[in-house]
Amino acid sequence: KDKKVLEAARRTMNACALLTKITGKKGFTARAVRYEGDEGYGENLDMQIDGGEWHKAPDGSCEWLGETSSDEMTGHYFAYGIYFDLVADKKEKKKIAQVVKTITDHILENNFHLCDVDGIPTTWANWEPELLNNDDRWFFERGTNSLEILSFLKTTYHVTGEEKYNEVFDMLIKKYHYAMNCMQYKCEDGHVAHIDDQLDFTNIYPLLMYTDCPAQREVFNMGLTH
């Protein structure tokens, strides 16, 4: 109930929404923005550099960074869900529902990928069943990325109430065994890092908060215990 904390949370939520609006591509979310006077402004536009490509916003107000990854999206869905549950008024809940729906629809319309302004999927924002389950190059991301998309879909259903997101959620579990992929979503290998822990905990929280099915919750809890 601290007004300063409330305003900080509101500022953050609006900043997240801006990152999706500013790209000009429906549902595609920028990694960052920079404004005139910021370091690097106007440099290396539309050129591939470490961390992605900077683009001029369609309205000319700023520049935004592409090559958005699954990590960034994990933060967005987690933040929107928490804010929706604990802070948002009716107007803000409507805004959050629209932004989250737009992002999720982009992912679904692009075969479970984020596609940048060039129409090409970004390097790491991949939740496609055929790749996660059958391409060994995605073996180490299989568990975490399965966990991510299930968490994204449940969060989207939670804030919009639209059943189609539950239907995709169930399809990924029944047809592509994504829940089983989550039973051991952390691989004990050279890829293990604290980043994995942060991603997984940030995804498992909303998934358990918004999943009602006892059987599904038991499977997700097995992954959490592991």
Side-chain angles (χ1 to χ4, degrees), residues 81-94:
I82 292 291
Y83 192 94
F84 186 93
D85 291 341
L86 301 180
V87 183
D89 56 27
K90 289 184 178 180
K91 184 178 180 180
E92 288 175 326
K93 286 188 174 184
K94 186 175 180 180

Side-chain angles (χ1 to χ4, degrees), residues 4-219:
K4 289 184 179 179
V5 176
L6 172 64
E7 288 308 312
R10 180 166 288 127
R11 182 172 181 268
T12 301
M13 188 273 292
N14 287 328
C16 286
L18 175 67
L19 288 172
T20 299
K21 179 182 178 182
I22 205 66
T23 65
K25 181 163 185 174
K26 191 174 182 180
F28 184 74
T29 303
R31 296 179 65 183
V33 293
R34 63 187 183 189
Y35 296 90
E36 189 170 1
D38 290 342
E39 182 179 354
Y41 185 83
E43 299 176 5
N44 302 316
L45 289 180
D46 301 316
M47 295 174 58
Q48 181 66 40
I49 57 174
D50 290 343
E53 297 176 343
W54 284 98
H55 305 279
K56 193 76 172 179
D59 64 3
S61 63
C62 64
E63 296 169 354
W64 61 270
L65 184 62
E67 183 59 1
T68 309
S69 77
S70 53
D71 296 14
E72 277 94 21
M73 301 323 300
T74 288
H76 277 264
Y77 281 93
F78 179 77
Y80 284 131
I82 292 291
Y83 192 94
F84 186 93
D85 291 341
L86 301 180
V87 183
D89 56 27
K90 289 184 178 180
K91 184 178 180 180
E92 288 175 326
K93 286 188 174 184
K94 186 175 180 180
K95 177 179 180 178
I96 289 171
Q98 185 57 48
V99 174
V100 172
K101 173 183 170 62
T102 302
I103 298 170
T104 305
D105 286 347
H106 172 97
I107 293 171
L108 298 182
E109 289 165 6
N110 288 283
N111 195 25
F112 297 97
H113 291 269
L114 283 183
C115 286
D116 216 320
V117 289
D118 55 8
I120 299 173
T122 65
T123 302
W124 296 109
N126 166 41
W127 305 279
E128 181 186 340
E130 290 299 327
L131 291 178
L132 291 188
N133 284 338
N134 302 318
D135 189 331
D136 288 342
R137 290 173 294 181
W138 288 94
F139 174 80
F140 295 109
E141 288 79 26
R142 182 179 301 161
T144 290
N145 286 33
S146 296
L147 182 68
E148 287 172 351
I149 191 63
L150 293 179
S151 185
F152 297 173
L153 288 164
K154 271 300 178 188
T155 299
T156 308
Y157 170 71
H158 176 70
V159 301
T160 67
E162 294 189 24
E163 191 60 37
K164 71 175 184 178
Y165 302 109
N166 262 344
E167 292 172 358
V168 179
F169 178 92
D170 289 336
M171 180 274 290
L172 290 176
I173 290 175
K174 294 175 182 178
K175 186 175 181 180
Y176 296 108
H177 53 76
Y178 268 37
M180 290 181 66
N181 290 351
C182 297
M183 290 170 70
Q184 293 188 356
Y185 50 74
K186 182 168 183 176
C187 299
E188 298 294 340
D189 78 308
H191 290 70
V192 169
H194 71 280
I195 297 171
D196 301 321
D197 297 329
Q198 182 176 3
L199 283 174
D200 293 334
F201 282 127
T202 306
N203 283 297
I204 196 67
Y205 177 82
L207 186 57
L208 288 173
M209 286 290 288
Y210 306 143
T211 299
D212 296 324
C213 174
Q216 291 174 348
R217 289 178 59 84
E218 283 303 308
V219 174

